[in-house]
Amino acid sequence: MNETIISFDRHIMNEQRKHEGRGDFSSILSQIIFAAKVVAAQVSHAGLVEDILGRTGEKNIQGEEVQKLDVYANKVFINSLNYIGKVCVMASEEDEEMIMIPRENPKGDYVVMFDPLDGSTNIDVNVSIGTIFGIYKRISDSGDGTLEDCLQPGYKLFGAGYIIYSSSIILVYTTGNGVNGFSLDPSVGEFILSHPNIKIPARGKIYSTNEGNYPYWKKGTLEYIDYLKSDRNTLGKPYTSRYIGSLVADFHRNLLKGGIFLYPEDTKDPKKPTGKLRLLYEANPLAYIVEQAGGYASTGYERILDIKPNQLHQRVPLIIGSKDDVLEYEAFAKKNLD
Ligand code: P6P
């Protein structure tokens, strides 16, 4: 047996000691881990449990059909965080408005935003899905959190992570000191350090995008994708195309192997001119993680983490992954600004 097994709890305790933290942040991470275990247990049964699979008939703020597992996961994360007295406000993909802490519960110094179950349209076809979260320090002084607390730029993130529910359940997170991955060992019910100090290769051989949007892309994107599919690129041969259609799964593969994920602006849906993905609880947390791993995330024109949000469910184009690949995309996009 390997005596140097590092559990997630031991890892955050070590991190806390480094920062002489009071433990508030550690408590939030521990609660997120607890919620992830609860959600993971249901995800693994989703194919079997009729009453949790399938649609509620409702639509979320995005106008997307809400799957029951979405609703369940959203409630699990909210209820795991709203009573510990460390959080002053939350925001979720599933809730149109900010999620306030119940009046009777103490408020804390942190703001948590999350996509409780991203890729949920893949649930009933058993494709990997994930939770994405970002944690900020509050700006307001005390009491209930405010919209200003939620609309902070990504470079102010205090911590960020995701959980991928796949052949194994893996948590990847950062608090600004590098990126570490933990795998859930179902025999003990603990997340164990399995991917220490993750670094993304400066350049990859994989690109991930929905090529069905090709007719709606701008010139710079068209030229870039055609370049990747030719022998004119730096590899001297076409990149490999890999697209799962589940952001966390596509991002995780590229983080470990290198590559670029693109959900660029397109003209397909006038209501979503800047692309499909959301800034606060999808792009920003993953951008923080990828930069901590040596990568980069951009809209094609500016660094994701520099964007000052103006609304909770704001969408952005997301080009993320190996730094040299993303910078190369920016060159194509900026060359065709018209
Ligand atoms: P498309 C899943 O619905 C999601 O929000 C992300 O997980 C994923 O990257 C993207 O949408 C896929 O979108 O338009 O390619 O189906």
Side-chain angles (χ1 to χ4, degrees), residues 1-6:
M1 171 118 150
N2 178 350
E3 299 78 29
T4 58
I5 288 178
I6 307 278

Side-chain angles (χ1 to χ4, degrees), residues 264-309:
E265 56 197 334
D266 63 48
T267 58
K268 183 166 67 174
D269 182 343
K271 292 197 299 289
K272 303 174 187 173
T274 57
K276 177 176 186 180
L277 301 176
R278 276 64 54 134
L279 175 61
L280 265 61
Y281 39 76
E282 289 174 337
N284 266 337
L286 297 183
Y288 185 47
I289 291 166
V290 86
E291 288 202 6
Q292 280 289 315
Y296 180 52
S298 166
T299 62
Y301 310 103
E302 65 178 315
R303 180 184 182 224
I304 289 285
L305 294 181
D306 287 339
I307 299 173
K308 174 67 181 80

Side-chain angles (χ1 to χ4, degrees), residues 15 59 136 146 157 197 259 294 299:
E15 289 283 293
K59 290 192 183 299
Y136 291 90
T146 65
L157 274 164
N197 193 28
T299 62

